[in-house]
Amino acid sequence: MTGSSGSRPAAFAVWALTRSLLLLCVVKVITLPGPDVTSDVSVIYHGWYDVLRSGSYPQSDVTWQYPPVAALSILSPALLPFLDYASAFFVLAFLCDALVLGLLLYAGRSAARRTAGAWVWVAGVPLLGTTAYARYDVMVTAVAVAALLAGVRHPRVLGALAAFGALLKVWPVLLLAGTARGRRTRLAWTTAAGVALGLLVLCTAAAPGALAFLGFQRDRGTEVESLGALVFHVARQFGWQGRVELHYGSLEFLGPHVPLVSTLALGLSVAAFGWLLVWRLRARTFGVSTTADAAFTAVLLFTTTSRVISPQYMLWLVGLAAVCLVFRESRMAWPAALVLVATGVTQLEFPLGFIHVVTSDATGLTLMFLRNGLLVAASLLACARLWRDTVPGPSSDGASTDDVPAAGDGGSAAPPLSRAGSPDTRASAP
């Protein structure tokens, strides 16, 4: 889809219809089968809200596994004092959803861009279902989308928002993985470091327990929806004597060999980091979509290899995929499509079919192999396309776009070369 004005009203209309249905679901006018996903807001978040208002982080609650700025999301319903806590939270989630759509439509307004990104967001959120509004991840995703879109022209804004997002839920630090080498990286990374340090000092001075989440996150095991959990779903069919229990805020496998699989999952994440580091050192061609493409690839890798793949993590991937598809030069269309399908399967396994996942029956096995298989395929395809588009081949002359100023950075350097070797005017599109 192009940036034509005709597709924007259609995207807004579909968004309005689907989000109205989501709101009706979270306020229980429409009741869906499966566990009540809104209890996290009405019970857990509300409990944290009371603790935070008392002047401390929930440092005695092992389910508090979030960086200190996450307190702002938990406290945000206070902005709507005329509503009860849960209703206020759902309204704010809805507004953040609307903000993401607005940013994507605005970014796609130019003929040099496209509205495909907005359509990815319009479709992806309802594919996840009520979980999208019953977790604060939509707020974090809004920050990440704003960071990547602003970062095309303003690397300092990218750095500041990435740091703020990282202290909301860690993963937005990966938005900095694909900044163009040279000046843009220096501006983005130094700004991010300064903002993160300032926020950490402020949070630790404001209330005790700001860093308690580090220990709670470290001690997590293999959650039943993760890639590593497939080992135990299969092993159960052959008499494995483990069990599923609520542990550190999620349902995890406990029993023989679970620590080994958890360690192997950490090893996969380390390997993913190693691949990103090698890519970063080898990459030379940084186009207008590279920052978004690299962020999407990095978050895909760390989501897929994580010991925990909670359903709301899919919202991160949908948001980043949407930003990628704003740019015509992005090659992430197929990985984005795989993520959308995986998001739909995620709603089938949680909440609709979660009992099948917990019991590891045939339906549960099928859903988990399908969802996690799609994530693995999307990760590998994204890695291959990012590498092919940015790393010079053996016959390359080694030309680099290091220190070439992009639009909004200042300087009057010529536009970077496109893959065909001609000036790429898209790099300076708004």
Side-chain angles (χ1 to χ4, degrees):
M1 295 182 182
T2 67
S4 64
S5 59
S7 63
R8 292 197 291 275
F12 179 78
V14 175
W15 176 87
L17 175 61
T18 55
R19 277 33 172 204
S20 297
L21 291 173
L22 273 183
L23 283 173
L24 290 174
C25 289
V26 293
V27 299
K28 298 185 174 64
V29 173
I30 299 174
T31 303
L32 298 177
D36 178 14
V37 303
T38 65
S39 62
D40 273 33
V41 175
S42 58
V43 178
I44 299 175
Y45 285 14
H46 199 180
W48 292 340
Y49 173 84
D50 291 335
V51 174
L52 289 165
R53 290 188 67 190
S54 72
S56 173
Y57 284 90
Q59 52 188 326
S60 61
D61 185 350
V62 297
T63 63
W64 175 260
Q65 299 167 7
Y66 308 110
V69 176
L72 296 180
S73 296
I74 304 304
L75 292 169
S76 62
L79 297 171
L80 303 175
F82 48 87
L83 295 174
D84 64 86
Y85 182 87
S87 297
F89 186 91
F90 300 145
V91 169
L92 291 170
F94 168 82
L95 292 175
C96 288
D97 182 359
L99 174 62
V100 173
L101 177 69
L103 290 170
L104 293 167
L105 288 175
Y106 182 79
R109 74 196 187 284
S110 166
R113 304 284 181 86
R114 54 185 178 178
T115 57
W119 280 105
V120 168
W121 182 253
V122 167
V125 173
L127 282 174
L128 185 60
T130 50
T131 303
Y133 281 6
R135 305 290 187 272
Y136 81 89
D137 296 80
V138 67
M139 302 174 182
V140 186
T141 303
V143 173
V145 169
L148 287 173
L149 292 174
V152 174
R153 288 180 174 271
H154 307 290
R156 287 191 180 94
V157 177
L158 168 62
L161 289 177
F164 181 75
L167 290 178
L168 276 172
K169 207 164 188 182
V170 181
W171 67 265
V173 71
L174 297 171
L175 303 181
L176 301 173
T179 52
R181 297 161 66 100
R183 183 172 182 268
R184 290 181 65 80
T185 288
R186 290 193 296 271
L187 289 174
W189 290 19
T190 55
T191 301
V195 170
L197 180 61
L199 287 173
L200 279 174
V201 170
L202 183 62
C203 290
T204 53
L211 301 180
F213 76 99
L214 292 172
F216 301 152
Q217 187 64 244
R218 178 197 61 213
D219 295 333
R220 297 193 76 168
T222 298
E223 187 254 352
V224 295
E225 297 164 275
S226 66
L227 184 63
L230 293 176
V231 173
F232 302 111
H233 284 300
V234 173
R236 274 178 141 183
Q237 315 307 311
F238 299 95
W240 179 69
Q241 296 301 307
R243 63 197 185 279
V244 173
E245 288 186 6
L246 186 65
H247 193 241
Y248 285 91
S250 64
L251 287 172
E252 297 182 357
F253 279 115
L254 301 176
H257 312 300
V258 173
L260 172 61
V261 171
S262 297
T263 301
L264 291 175
L266 287 173
L268 280 177
S269 294
V270 170
F273 176 80
W275 184 90
L276 281 172
L277 181 60
V278 172
W279 168 79
R280 178 78 197 179
L281 294 173
R282 295 283 305 277
R284 290 295 181 270
T285 304
F286 290 83
V288 69
S289 72
T290 302
T291 301
D293 291 347
F296 176 53
T297 302
V299 175
L300 253 176
L301 285 172
F302 283 98
T303 299
T304 303
T305 61
S306 175
R307 293 170 295 170
V308 178
I309 307 181
S310 295
Q312 61 267 26
Y313 294 8
M314 301 304 299
L315 203 60
W316 316 343
L317 300 175
V318 169
L320 298 183
V323 176
C324 292
L325 265 62
V326 165
F327 304 106
R328 288 186 177 278
E329 78 164 26
S330 176
R331 300 282 303 281
M332 293 296 161
W334 273 110
L338 292 173
V339 162
L340 285 178
V341 177
T343 303
V345 177
T346 297
Q347 184 175 186
L348 293 178
E349 61 91 357
F350 183 89
L352 301 181
F354 198 54
I355 186 63
H356 299 289
V357 174
V358 172
T359 57
S360 302
D361 65 15
T363 300
L365 276 171
T366 300
L367 289 171
M368 294 320 307
F369 269 98
L370 181 56
R371 198 282 299 272
N372 291 342
L374 286 165
L375 287 179
V376 170
S379 299
L380 295 176
L381 186 56
C383 287
R385 292 192 168 193
L386 181 65
W387 186 279
R388 186 165 57 247
D389 289 350
T390 58
V391 176
S395 60
S396 171
D397 60 3
S400 170
T401 58
D402 293 14
D403 289 305
V404 176
D409 279 350
S412 57
L417 296 181
S418 69
R419 295 186 185 92
S422 58
D424 187 355
T425 57
R426 293 173 297 185
S428 58

